[in-house]
Amino acid sequence: METISYEYEGSLYVNLTNKCDCSCVFCLRHNGHKGSIYADDLWLEHEPTRQEALEDLLSRDYANYRELVFCGFGEPMFRTDDILWLVDRLKEQVPNLPPVRINTNGHANAILGRDVTPELKGRIDTISISLNGSTPEEYCAVTRPRSGARAWDDMLDFARKCRDYVPNVVMTIVDKDKTQAEIDRCRAITEELGVTLRIRAYIPD
Ligand code: SF4
């Protein structure tokens, strides 16, 4: 049974797609992984329709969760329209819906060919964007984006635009293999953007 949503550390995580425009060196989708420490069977043989995802999400008791997180075994914002549709339906039907977060690589505007950030307003409480590096070279070496170095600028531009529409804009790096100088440069980037830097511990798969 494929996993559309799963619980992790008190939050409900939603998995809508395997698609991604990156090929990160650490991505759990490589090496034949179909699950992770979070849940088994995250690889979707067929992507759930928005209606199937809604049914799954409406079967949950939201009193149990501190956050609803769209992440996935791929880049969730390939399905931005469906995420926003789901959030609207949930806000209509779930009186105690917790804050909503999207974990993303920040390429949505480039992928979808339009600026989606205004559509996040009033729907998404936190957007967590993977910064992954302190220079375009470091970023591309780690994330191996389909569009090359342009993806770095796309990601920074997305973060900048999100500030106007999303209350909490967070950029994340993983501490493993980062020098202090690299971390300092990441901090300078996020300070210049006016967003929060979150340094995550590496979680081995
Ligand atoms: S952006 Fe996420 S889903 Fe895409 S390759 Fe990187 S880690 Fe994997």
Side-chain angles (χ1 to χ4, degrees):
M1 180 61 194
E2 290 163 355
T3 306
I4 298 175
S5 65
Y6 56 95
E7 299 173 16
Y8 181 70
E9 291 192 336
S11 294
L12 186 67
Y13 284 75
V14 190
N15 174 36
L16 294 179
T17 186
N18 303 321
K19 286 198 197 92
C20 193
D21 60 316
C22 289
S23 182
C24 297
V25 291
F26 52 77
C27 184
L28 295 173
R29 303 179 313 151
H30 301 319
N31 308 321
H33 284 290
K34 288 184 184 288
S36 72
I37 57 160
Y38 309 110
D40 296 328
D41 301 323
L42 288 177
W43 185 263
L44 299 163
E45 295 303 334
H46 98 282
E47 291 191 351
T49 64
R50 48 167 64 174
Q51 197 60 45
E52 285 169 339
L54 182 63
E55 279 162 28
D56 180 285
L57 295 177
L58 285 175
S59 71
R60 299 287 187 165
D61 179 358
Y62 287 88
N64 296 330
Y65 308 123
R66 57 188 170 85
E67 220 174 7
L68 174 66
V69 185
F70 290 88
C71 59
F73 218 38
E75 167 47 49
M77 294 196 80
F78 268 89
R79 297 195 62 181
T80 300
D81 292 344
D82 292 330
I83 291 174
L84 300 180
W85 181 85
L86 284 165
V87 171
D88 286 347
R89 300 293 82 71
L90 291 169
K91 282 183 186 284
E92 285 163 9
Q93 296 179 48
V94 179
N96 57 347
L97 192 73
V100 180
R101 165 161 55 111
I102 303 178
N103 289 352
T104 179
N105 65 16
H107 298 166
N109 290 350
I111 292 167
L112 299 174
R114 69 177 200 272
D115 178 12
V116 301
T117 57
E119 300 166 47
L120 307 180
K121 188 175 181 180
R123 292 165 160 148
I124 307 302
D125 300 280
T126 301
I127 191 128
S128 179
I129 303 164
S130 304
L131 178 56
N132 275 323
S134 65
T135 64
E137 293 74 23
E138 272 171 49
Y139 180 77
C140 289
V142 171
T143 64
R144 303 183 293 188
R146 211 179 285 161
S147 62
R150 236 196 72 183
W152 165 259
D153 294 321
D154 290 340
M155 178 267 303
L156 294 178
D157 184 59
F158 180 77
R160 199 174 290 116
K161 289 192 162 87
C162 279
R163 280 182 325 196
D164 291 336
Y165 305 107
V166 180
N168 302 309
V169 181
V170 179
M171 300 187 92
T172 62
I173 55 172
V174 176
D175 59 2
K176 184 174 175 280
D177 299 333
K178 285 262 178 301
T179 65
Q180 192 55 48
E182 287 165 355
I183 292 173
D184 290 346
R185 280 202 299 271
C186 289
R187 195 172 298 286
I189 289 168
T190 52
E191 280 176 3
E192 195 264 319
L193 285 170
V195 306
T196 304
L197 177 66
R198 189 170 152 243
I199 304 172
R200 295 190 294 122
Y202 175 70
I203 303 171
D205 58 351

